[in-house]
Amino acid sequence: MFNLYVTGTDTGIGKTLASCTLLHALREHGLRVAGMKPVASGCTEIDGAWKNEDALALQAAGMPGLAYADINPFALEQPLAPELAARDAGIDVTLPPILHAHARLAAQADALVVEGVGGWAAPLSAERMQVDLVRALRLPVVLVVGLRLGCLNHALLSARAIVGDGVHLAGWIGSQVDPAMARVDDNIAMLRARLPAPCWGVLPYAPNADPSMLTQYLRIPTAA
């Protein structure tokens, strides 16, 4: 099964767009795909349940019929760091509900893309870091690099932390979040030379883009 965890160099750098584009690219290979956002803060009440915009985008990019509660087991109302949002909601973010939801999705899909929160070092809760979930699920990691001034430092530090945590960094995806960034190609070349994993592609700056139209920019290895 094609199964991976998507993290980023920061929040707001295109993890969801990259995750949804990955799902559409995998669908083009005839695979049954599912996206997952285990913990999401900043939710709106829809039909009596809290739902998150990013998780809904992952649901739309995946195969039909998947339960939202499995895609997003912990939907937190406040748009805060998950630890704070969970504390405000009186919720304890624990691994078992996530692991069970992941197992249910995995039983229905050929490929599963799990999107993390913020950057790699953003905690899931007061007691748990993202690496705890990644280790429990035994997932390789793909790093989304927000291409803007400072991205070299953020990308290299993130990669060092991922590898240092003993997790397999399978690849990275560039995400052009700043249309005015100078010397983009040079920065991408430096990232290719320095990051200890292959580049899976670079997504262009495209606000409100349909991820199904961006699959041409990705090259996914047959084995992550």
Side-chain angles (χ1 to χ4, degrees), residues 8-18 144-151 154 173-182 184 188 202-207:
T9 49
D10 201 351
T11 190
I13 49 81
K15 287 193 310 297
T16 300
L17 180 61
V144 179
V145 178
L147 297 174
R148 59 190 178 199
L149 188 63
C151 66
H154 292 159
I173 296 171
S175 174
Q176 296 191 23
V177 295
D178 179 5
M181 182 185 182
V184 174
I188 291 172
V202 177
L203 299 179
Y205 179 75

Side-chain angles (χ1 to χ4, degrees), residues 17-169:
L17 180 61
S19 297
C20 289
T21 304
L22 281 168
L23 288 169
H24 281 286
L26 292 165
R27 288 178 69 171
E28 290 177 357
H29 286 84
L31 300 178
R32 299 172 302 160
V33 303
M36 186 180 189
K37 182 84 172 178
V39 181
S41 55
C43 294
T44 302
E45 190 172 5
I46 301 174
D47 297 329
W50 293 110
K51 296 186 179 182
N52 173 264
E53 182 179 8
D54 293 344
L56 288 170
L58 292 169
Q59 184 178 38
M63 58 190 287
L66 299 175
Y68 180 87
D70 286 340
I71 293 169
N72 180 206
F74 288 98
L76 308 172
E77 177 185 1
Q78 297 299 322
L80 303 169
E83 180 178 344
L84 298 177
R87 185 189 305 168
D88 287 355
I91 293 173
D92 184 19
V93 175
T94 59
L95 293 186
I98 299 175
L99 302 183
H100 294 153
H102 182 274
R104 287 190 291 270
L105 292 174
Q108 302 172 72
D110 304 311
L112 182 48
V113 174
V114 182
E115 182 189 337
V117 295
W120 177 251
L124 288 177
S125 70
E127 295 82 21
R128 298 164 191 87
M129 300 298 289
Q130 292 184 76
V131 67
D132 298 320
L133 175 59
V134 171
R135 286 173 178 161
L137 293 174
R138 299 181 180 180
L139 298 180
V141 172
V142 171
L143 175 66
V144 179
V145 178
L147 297 174
R148 59 190 178 199
L149 188 63
C151 66
L152 291 171
N153 176 65
H154 292 159
L156 294 174
L157 286 176
S158 297
R160 183 181 300 175
I162 293 166
V163 174
D165 281 336
V167 174
H168 174 49
L169 180 60

